Amino acid sequence: MALRRCWRLAGVVPRLLWTSAARPGASVPGGRSSVSSLVSTHPGCTTLQLLLRRFSSAPPSTDVSYEQLKQLLADRKAVVIDVREPWELREYGFIQGSINVPLGQVNTALQLGAEEFKEKYGGEMPREMDNIVFTCLAGVRSKNALNTAASLGYKDVQHYPGGWQDWVSNEQHK
């Protein structure tokens, strides 16, 4: 039965993506996917390694954990942008050190001059090579902001998938 599950899973993935045929980071013809590691954890599929990741202009590793975000903030090694609406920050709270740029303004904001950005949003304008971490309430809008920034040429963009909800939960358990 375990072997049957392995073969069922294997039938979904084109032969091109098998470990022997593709290396992590390689492009797949057609430009719709790129290859990254994903190891099957099914007990009967110990040697089956599938390599598939949806194509995105964003870097392969884009998620930041609570602990990683805390460290980035403490070390001042990232610009944290909260893409929620201002009323949400007033009602629910916000991560200290973050800059509020509502999702609908991210595209325009990241194309402003440094002085105009600082005047409008109250923080330093991130440069294309800066580490930027986007956050929101639950990780959906931050992922959209990440994709927008990546399409504008920002290289080191990430998002905090747990968002404010995860932040509050972790802060309460300290």
Side-chain angles (χ1 to χ4, degrees):
M1 185 157 130
L3 185 57
R4 189 175 304 147
R5 285 185 188 157
C6 288
W7 284 112
R8 193 174 309 139
L9 179 60
V12 179
V13 180
R15 293 278 178 207
L16 175 62
L17 298 176
W18 287 95
T19 304
S20 61
R23 301 252 185 258
S27 292
V28 175
R32 294 185 178 212
S33 297
S34 68
V35 180
S36 66
S37 296
L38 171 65
V39 179
S40 174
T41 56
H42 191 277
C45 302
T46 54
T47 60
L48 178 62
Q49 290 186 351
L50 302 176
L51 305 171
L52 175 65
R53 182 177 71 85
R54 291 293 242 180
F55 176 79
S56 172
S57 57
S61 176
T62 58
D63 292 359
V64 174
S65 69
Y66 168 79
E67 292 80 15
Q68 290 170 320
L69 184 56
K70 284 286 274 193
Q71 194 62 52
L72 288 168
L73 285 165
D75 297 343
R76 297 178 180 254
K77 290 190 175 182
V79 177
V80 179
I81 299 178
D82 192 323
V83 297
R84 293 179 291 158
E85 295 297 322
W87 69 264
E88 291 178 273
L89 275 65
R90 288 190 301 271
E91 187 169 325
Y92 303 117
F94 59 93
I95 298 171
Q96 285 292 341
S98 66
I99 302 168
N100 180 225
V101 180
L103 180 60
Q105 298 174 27
V106 169
N107 191 333
T108 304
L110 293 178
Q111 297 180 66
L112 294 174
E115 288 300 315
E116 191 176 358
F117 183 93
K118 187 172 187 169
E119 183 180 310
K120 186 166 185 168
Y121 299 107
E124 294 298 320
M125 168 82 175
R127 297 177 309 241
E128 284 188 7
M129 299 310 285
D130 286 346
N131 182 10
I132 304 172
V133 178
F134 292 99
T135 185
C136 61
L137 185 64
V140 176
R141 288 175 282 181
S142 61
K143 185 70 170 180
N144 289 333
L146 177 147
N147 290 332
T148 298
S151 73
L152 292 171
Y154 285 84
K155 308 291 183 225
D156 193 6
V157 290
Q158 299 173 299
H159 87 116
Y160 177 38
W164 176 250
Q165 293 172 337
D166 184 62
W167 182 269
V168 169
S169 174
N170 279 293
E171 289 290 296
Q172 289 173 349
H173 291 102
K174 285 190 348 179

